[in-house]
Amino acid sequence: MTARGRSAASSRAGDSGGSVARLGPPGLSIRLLGPVEVLVDGRPLAVDTRKAVALLAYLAITAQPASRDRLAALLWPESSDPDGRSALRRTLSVLNAAVGPQRLTIDRQRVELVDSDVTIDLRVFRERLHDARRHGHSPDQACASCIAVLEQAQLLDRGEFMAGFSLRDSDSWDEWHRGEAEAVDRERSAALERLTRALAAAGRWDGAVRVARRWLEVDPLHEPAHRILIEAHGRAGELAAAIGQYRACSRILAAELGVRPLPETTATYEAVRDGVIAPEPASPSLTEPAPPSSTEAPPAGTLAPPETAVIANPGRLPIVGRDPELARLAAVVASLKSTVIVVIGEAGIGKTRLIDALAEDVLAAGGSVLSARAWSGEQGLAFGPIVGLLRSALGRTDAQQWLARLDPTTRWVITRLTGVRLEGSAGFPDGPGLVSADGPSDRLRVLEGIADALNGSGAMAGASLVRVDDLQWADASTLEALAYLGRRLEDRRPDGRRLILALNWRPEDIGATEAHLRTIEHMPGSVVIRPARLDRSAIDELVREAGAHHLAAAAVDLLAAESEGLPLYLVEALAVGDQPSGAMPPGIRAILEQRLAAVGEVAGQMLAAAAIVGRSFDPDLVRRASGRSEEETVTGLEELVRRNLIREAPIEPGRQPYDFAHSRVRDLAYERISLARRRLLHGRVADAIRTTGEPSDELARTSLLAEHERAAGRLGAAAEAYVRTAELARAVQANAEALAAFEAAQSLGHPDTLGLEEAIGAMRTRLGDYPGALAAFETAAAIAPPDRLAAIERRLGWIQFRRGDLAAAESHLAAALAALDPDASPSRRSEIQADRSVVAHRAGDKAAAPALARMALDMIDPAVDPGAAAVAHRLLGLVAHAEGALDLARAELSQSLILAGQANDLDAAIAAEHALSRVELAGDDPEAALGHARNALAGTARSGDRHVEAAVENTMADVLHALGREAESREHQRRAVSLFAAVGGAAASLEAEIWKLVEW
């Protein structure tokens, strides 16, 4: 610090009666509150570039190693990778020389500030504020120690974070700087509020006036600051100043927010004006906080007064009673392997906190973190959390480097799911395999694209973490994608990168997705953690860490008994305090109701609107739903953040989304809304979604629109939105979600009854629910006009074939032929005859099967109708195989595969590849058989047809057995059994023919 700076600091300390920890020689002094000032052993930092200062500030604030790639992207976002790294090398060289030896640790991958002799004013400021918060009393109580440390903090506060500092050519750094500045301003405001209230409680009204004015400089729209200042002027005998302050408050609220002062503010002003609040002749004595070992305590069974939070921020308490779990997580970070971590436990047990600790370890080791969560009521939103992860990755400063590592197919998948158009993703490229890629229906490539994108999303060295919370509410497609990713995690690659996939869920809330979650839980090599409730020693430790030293032993006993060791209950109880009567809240619901009851009118409207949205939300959507102005929305959300009911969770560039601090907060806030108002707000949200076009990915948007339209009572619009949702889900082979949306549209009375029955039947067929599919198609047949009946009868015949009821299958196919119009195209007759040939082959009719297949071929020109020709040639190949003519079988099936590709018919291609695999196996060429089986299996992953997948898995097991790969064979056999058991509906165990599907 300069001589002038020391003099000024000393003068201010004398004025306040306090002292401040001086920042200056010896060592490195970094002052970021106000204009940036860096002193190296008492002398100003000598560098020739502002980016060196920006880099030093970033390292000082983050207090952890930073990767070179991260720094280059942050400071030179517009430069190419080589140019950015080159510029970073030059800047690091300049900065390292300027700060002196051994103050920066620089290697080929990371950069770190060594803080052994570094003093950072913001860090000291936060320590002083923390010291005050740890005292066991209300902020409104007079305490000499608190006032002293808070005044020390204020001497450090020279203004906004890095005031006046910016980089002209780095939007990324400026965006980071803005976010930090907003967070620091909230801390400055909190410190000023606490000091103002403490000085007022001590009767030091002159000091309270001075600090309250600074508080209003930081946050001029904070009405409680105006109110305290009005009272402080009144207590100091300054009636004119009190009146002037009230009028100033009225002007700024009217100009900025279009509202009047709150009734409490007006009442304070009137009390000063009327002499009810009169000047005080003397100050009351200050109280000292009791030391931790004090025997003085409130009466047994009580906490702090109701307006007092025992802890200022319950989310920042340390984790207690979890040493074994933390050790297992630390071992994962220290290992060299990619790993799946699963944390399973009841609501409030601390699952999220454990993964938070894991994330902190990953970041401290130079890694990166992507986060998403599933939300209650959004199981119908296909790939919802996956979209959240991908958007989070797109919003990072290193997004371009990440995208550059991905192939065009993966970029196409990202575009398809997020709605963000990426360079090089305009078309879905063709590639080797069964058929040319057929765009959105290519399910396997969607899964592979998700896995490749997330596998490649991490830091260039070390571990990267992908976390998804609350999977009990996830959609089936998300769980399938996560399982696919988990099975394909790569061990540490030559470049040092590896992925940790961390997932959690509540077992008590699992619904239809239980099988998917069990698959993830039992994945080979996964680390499964099941946290237990806290024992008494851990509860005592948590109480100590919360600074609740004033609690009597009986009060802690009662807290332990009521909470039953549930961490959420404990934290919330310590955050809220007790009821005036001294009775402990009966449960978490009561605790949260206390916190919600304290919310102001505007913030309460924001909370209700956010609860209606029902997911992470952005300010604009909440503003539109609540009907409040932009300024009122900001004020309300700030109060909710300050009360720790919601939290900021940015996931997209240029936006600041929020989510609830805990799902139970959202549940209770929603319950408190009347039914009539719920309808109104749901309608407003639906209108806002239509107006804004957000979310940008159409599947997410239409799914949310449908839910809100339904909740608003606008059933026609909801039905249309559900149909569009189903179509989009079907396009990415999210079959379960598509089925649910089609059925929702049906239940709401969508007019296309026939189309919905056909769509529901098709989805149930894919999912292996044959009784449900038959019921849907039979209903469709009953209401279908003549020109659509033949197609429905053909569908019914195919389902009966799969069930093994060949007589019923032939009957429906004959009915399909009879229902055709005499002028129907030859291709339609050929398709039905080809299906009849398949049924005849399975029935063992060696004469009819080839005859029907040749009849089907004779009806068409393969060049005009390759799909029908593919089925006929496949059947001729199956007949030849049955007769032992393997060369002829191979030729017919190869031709079928070619025609399937020309027709872009995935199902026909799978069937041909599968049949070729069995022919090659019969010909003692298991290696060739393995190639075809792999292609067929890849196709089933794209189609989502469970029954066909079961048959192909069974063949794969036979092929691997022939190759002597017994362990792999048993694994595929296990999958086949599991899939066969899931096909056919509730009576599947009675339908033995389902298990006999070998050729088709």
Side-chain angles (χ1 to χ4, degrees):
M1 183 181 291
T2 64
R4 179 179 178 180
R6 288 195 298 271
S7 175
S10 299
S11 174
R12 289 192 297 269
D15 291 344
S16 65
S19 61
V20 63
R22 285 167 46 176
L23 304 176
L28 177 62
S29 168
I30 304 173
R31 305 182 73 189
L32 302 174
L33 288 170
V36 178
E37 179 183 300
V38 181
L39 301 177
V40 181
D41 298 325
R43 295 182 299 274
L45 178 71
V47 292
D48 59 359
T49 170
R50 291 172 66 85
K51 289 192 176 180
V53 178
L55 194 158
L56 181 62
Y58 179 83
L59 294 174
I61 292 301
T62 56
Q64 63 185 22
S67 70
R68 284 177 175 261
D69 285 349
R70 165 65 174 158
L71 294 174
L74 185 70
L75 297 171
W76 293 275
E78 302 301 325
S79 299
S80 64
D81 287 354
D83 289 344
R85 286 192 291 267
S86 177
L88 176 62
R89 282 195 299 271
R90 290 193 299 272
T91 303
L92 284 173
S93 177
V94 170
L95 182 60
N96 194 34
V99 299
Q102 299 182 338
R103 286 178 176 143
L104 287 178
T105 298
I106 303 173
D107 59 31
R108 296 177 64 86
Q109 298 294 336
R110 297 184 298 174
V111 182
E112 183 179 8
L113 178 64
V114 180
D115 60 1
S116 57
D117 69 338
V118 177
T119 308
I120 304 166
D121 63 347
L122 182 55
R123 185 179 300 175
V124 178
F125 175 90
R126 287 168 169 165
E127 290 171 356
R128 298 292 180 268
L129 185 55
H130 179 70
D131 290 342
R133 284 171 170 165
R134 286 183 64 86
H135 286 199
H137 60 75
S138 163
D140 291 332
Q141 288 182 298
C143 169
S145 296
C146 281
I147 289 175
V149 296
L150 288 169
E151 286 183 329
Q152 291 173 23
Q154 291 314 304
L155 291 174
L156 298 169
D157 183 1
R158 299 177 299 124
E160 296 177 351
F161 176 70
M162 299 184 72
F165 190 96
S166 65
L167 298 178
R168 291 191 303 272
D169 58 348
S170 178
D171 291 340
S172 299
W173 191 89
D174 284 343
E175 183 177 348
W176 172 83
H177 172 250
R178 283 192 297 272
E180 289 295 326
E182 291 171 1
V184 170
D185 275 349
R186 288 193 293 271
E187 291 176 291
R188 294 173 63 217
S189 180
L192 289 163
E193 178 178 6
R194 195 176 186 95
L195 179 55
T196 301
R197 294 184 185 280
L199 290 169
R204 292 171 53 179
W205 298 108
D206 290 344
V209 167
R210 171 176 52 81
V211 178
R213 284 174 176 164
R214 286 208 66 197
W215 182 9
L216 285 173
E217 290 174 6
V218 176
D219 190 356
L221 296 177
H222 195 66
E223 193 168 345
H226 288 279
R227 189 158 57 245
I228 291 176
L229 189 51
I230 293 167
E231 181 181 0
H233 282 307
R235 298 294 186 187
E238 300 167 353
L239 179 59
I243 295 173
Q245 188 60 44
Y246 177 76
R247 291 173 179 171
C249 174
S250 301
R251 281 196 302 272
I252 194 168
L253 292 178
E256 296 295 328
L257 305 179
V259 298
R260 296 176 179 176
L262 292 171
E264 305 95 273
T265 305
T266 301
T268 300
Y269 157 68
E270 290 174 346
V272 172
R273 182 196 62 192
D274 299 337
V276 177
I277 294 179
E280 294 185 355
S283 302
S285 60
L286 298 180
T287 62
E288 292 292 341
S293 59
S294 173
T295 58
E296 297 180 11
T302 66
L303 291 175
E307 71 275 10
T308 301
V310 177
I311 49 177
N313 190 342
R316 293 186 179 178
L317 281 175
I319 301 175
V320 301
R322 297 285 186 247
D323 290 346
E325 292 88 349
L326 292 172
R328 294 182 70 188
L329 296 177
V332 169
V333 177
S335 74
L336 302 180
K337 294 183 177 180
S338 295
T339 309
V340 177
I341 295 173
V342 177
V343 184
I344 304 172
E346 64 184 308
I349 200 67
K351 303 180 294 296
T352 300
R353 286 300 307 278
L354 284 172
I355 298 182
D356 285 346
L358 172 67
E360 291 169 5
D361 288 347
V362 169
L363 291 171
S368 60
V369 177
L370 288 181
S371 302
R373 68 190 302 184
W375 296 89
S376 176
E378 294 188 3
Q379 291 90 337
L381 179 54
F383 296 114
I386 298 297
V387 172
L389 291 171
L390 295 176
R391 287 192 166 198
S392 182
L394 289 171
R396 297 191 321 196
T397 56
D398 61 351
Q400 292 306 314
Q401 292 91 323
W402 165 56
L403 293 171
R405 298 195 296 267
L406 305 179
D407 60 36
T409 299
T410 301
R411 290 197 295 273
W412 179 89
V413 170
I414 294 172
T415 293
R416 177 66 187 172
L417 291 177
T418 66
V420 178
R421 175 64 62 184
L422 303 176
E423 183 178 352
S425 65
F428 195 90
D430 289 343
L434 293 168
V435 293
S436 298
D438 59 352
S441 67
D442 197 336
R443 185 165 171 265
L444 176 62
R445 286 184 175 170
V446 170
L447 297 178
E448 288 180 340
I450 292 169
D452 289 347
L454 296 178
N455 251 322
S457 65
M460 288 304 293
S464 57
L465 173 67
V466 171
R467 63 178 293 183
V468 186
D469 296 303
D470 292 328
L471 280 183
Q472 73 275 0
W473 292 320
D475 59 282
S477 295
T478 287
L479 296 177
E480 184 180 8
L482 292 173
Y484 191 94
L485 170 62
R487 289 194 295 268
R488 285 155 181 77
L489 289 184
E490 303 175 21
D491 284 344
R492 183 170 178 161
R493 289 173 267 185
D495 59 11
R497 284 191 289 138
R498 56 196 171 89
L499 181 68
I500 299 172
L501 179 61
L503 312 169
N504 71 58
W505 63 78
R506 306 177 190 169
E508 69 269 24
D509 288 335
I510 294 176
T513 59
E514 181 175 5
H516 292 87
L517 292 172
R518 295 291 172 259
T519 297
I520 294 173
E521 178 184 352
H522 297 296
M523 200 171 294
S526 62
V527 175
V528 180
I529 296 175
R530 296 177 181 274
R533 293 196 174 191
L534 300 181
D535 59 22
R536 179 52 191 264
S537 64
I539 293 172
D540 290 341
E541 182 182 357
L542 186 63
V543 170
R544 288 194 300 272
E545 292 291 347
H549 306 297
H550 62 283
L551 287 181
V556 180
D557 290 340
L558 186 56
L559 181 60
E562 290 287 341
S563 69
E564 298 181 356
L566 189 66
L568 173 64
Y569 187 110
L570 291 161
V571 171
E572 294 293 340
L574 290 169
V576 173
D578 199 7
Q579 303 275 5
S581 65
M584 285 288 290
I588 295 176
R589 181 184 183 90
I591 290 175
L592 294 179
E593 283 179 341
Q594 274 187 277
R595 296 181 66 186
L596 294 183
V599 171
E601 179 183 359
V602 173
Q605 292 180 8
M606 298 301 105
L607 193 68
I612 289 293
V613 173
R615 60 172 295 165
S616 57
F617 53 91
D618 65 84
D620 185 61
L621 187 56
V622 169
R623 177 185 66 79
R624 290 171 182 269
S626 68
R628 287 285 185 169
S629 68
E630 184 174 348
E631 292 81 2
E632 288 173 318
T633 300
V634 170
T635 301
L637 293 177
E638 285 178 342
E639 178 181 343
L640 296 176
V641 170
R642 187 170 61 254
R643 293 183 181 276
N644 202 35
L645 294 172
I646 65 173
R647 58 191 176 194
E648 294 175 330
I651 59 173
E652 292 185 71
R655 295 177 62 186
Q656 291 185 323
Y658 297 80
D659 61 42
F660 284 89
H662 195 279
S663 61
R664 298 298 190 194
V665 177
R666 185 260 166 184
D667 294 342
L668 185 56
Y670 190 86
E671 289 177 16
R672 290 159 61 96
I673 307 170
S674 69
L675 293 177
R677 186 157 188 82
R678 283 184 197 175
R679 283 197 167 196
L680 172 66
L681 292 177
H682 277 294
R684 287 181 178 176
V685 172
D687 294 340
I689 291 172
R690 281 199 171 88
T691 301
T692 63
E694 293 290 341
S696 58
D697 53 296
E698 190 178 3
L699 177 54
R701 183 169 67 254
T702 57
S703 178
L704 291 173
L705 181 63
E707 294 294 335
H708 287 295
E709 291 285 21
R710 184 176 195 169
R714 303 189 310 212
L715 303 187
E720 292 293 344
Y722 274 120
V723 169
R724 182 56 182 159
T725 298
E727 292 169 347
L728 293 167
R730 181 171 58 185
V732 293
Q733 294 301 325
N735 296 327
E737 292 76 17
L739 173 62
F742 278 130
E743 291 183 331
Q746 184 184 56
S747 70
L748 294 177
H750 191 281
D752 187 9
T753 304
L754 175 58
L756 287 177
E757 291 288 0
E758 289 183 286
I760 290 168
M763 290 299 99
R764 290 196 177 279
T765 302
R766 287 286 184 189
L767 293 169
D769 178 9
Y770 293 153
L774 287 172
F777 281 122
E778 289 288 4
T779 301
I783 61 176
D787 62 330
R788 294 178 66 173
L789 182 59
I792 296 171
E793 290 284 6
R794 186 186 174 202
R795 288 272 200 168
L796 286 165
W798 189 242
I799 295 171
Q800 296 291 13
F801 166 78
R802 289 190 173 206
R803 296 179 64 242
D805 190 342
L806 304 183
E810 170 58 24
S811 174
H812 282 295
L813 292 174
L817 275 177
L820 282 176
D821 187 273
D823 297 328
S825 67
S827 64
R828 295 190 66 187
R829 294 184 185 279
S830 173
E831 288 169 348
I832 297 172
Q833 294 289 23
D835 287 348
R836 293 182 68 206
S837 72
V838 174
V839 174
H841 174 68
R842 187 171 180 182
D845 191 336
K846 297 181 179 180
L852 288 167
R854 291 190 181 94
M855 185 185 302
L857 275 177
D858 291 342
M859 290 179 177
I860 58 168
D861 179 357
V864 175
D865 193 353
V871 177
H873 278 288
R874 183 173 77 248
L875 195 282
L876 292 172
L878 296 178
V879 171
H881 180 201
E883 294 174 349
L886 298 185
D887 288 340
L888 178 59
R890 193 177 291 111
E892 292 287 358
L893 292 171
S894 296
Q895 182 63 22
S896 175
L897 182 59
I898 292 170
L899 290 166
Q902 293 173 359
N904 206 18
D905 187 334
L906 179 59
D907 293 331
I910 294 170
E913 291 276 19
H914 177 256
L916 279 167
S917 178
R918 299 195 66 82
V919 167
E920 299 295 357
L921 188 60
D924 294 325
D925 190 351
E927 288 292 347
L930 181 62
H932 289 297
R934 281 175 173 165
N935 287 343
L937 198 57
T940 62
R942 294 157 60 184
S943 72
D945 192 319
R946 292 179 180 176
H947 199 175
V948 170
E949 184 178 2
V952 177
E953 287 280 9
N954 198 45
T955 294
M956 178 65 86
D958 292 342
V959 173
L960 291 168
H961 173 72
L963 289 168
R965 293 156 63 170
E966 296 300 335
E968 294 175 77
S969 175
R970 285 193 297 272
E971 175 62 22
H972 283 278
Q973 189 64 54
R974 184 192 64 77
R975 293 180 191 170
V977 170
S978 177
L979 287 164
F980 274 127
V983 171
S989 60
L990 304 178
E991 298 185 36
E993 292 300 319
I994 284 176
W995 295 68
K996 297 179 182 179
L997 183 67
V998 176
E999 296 176 326
W1000 62 94

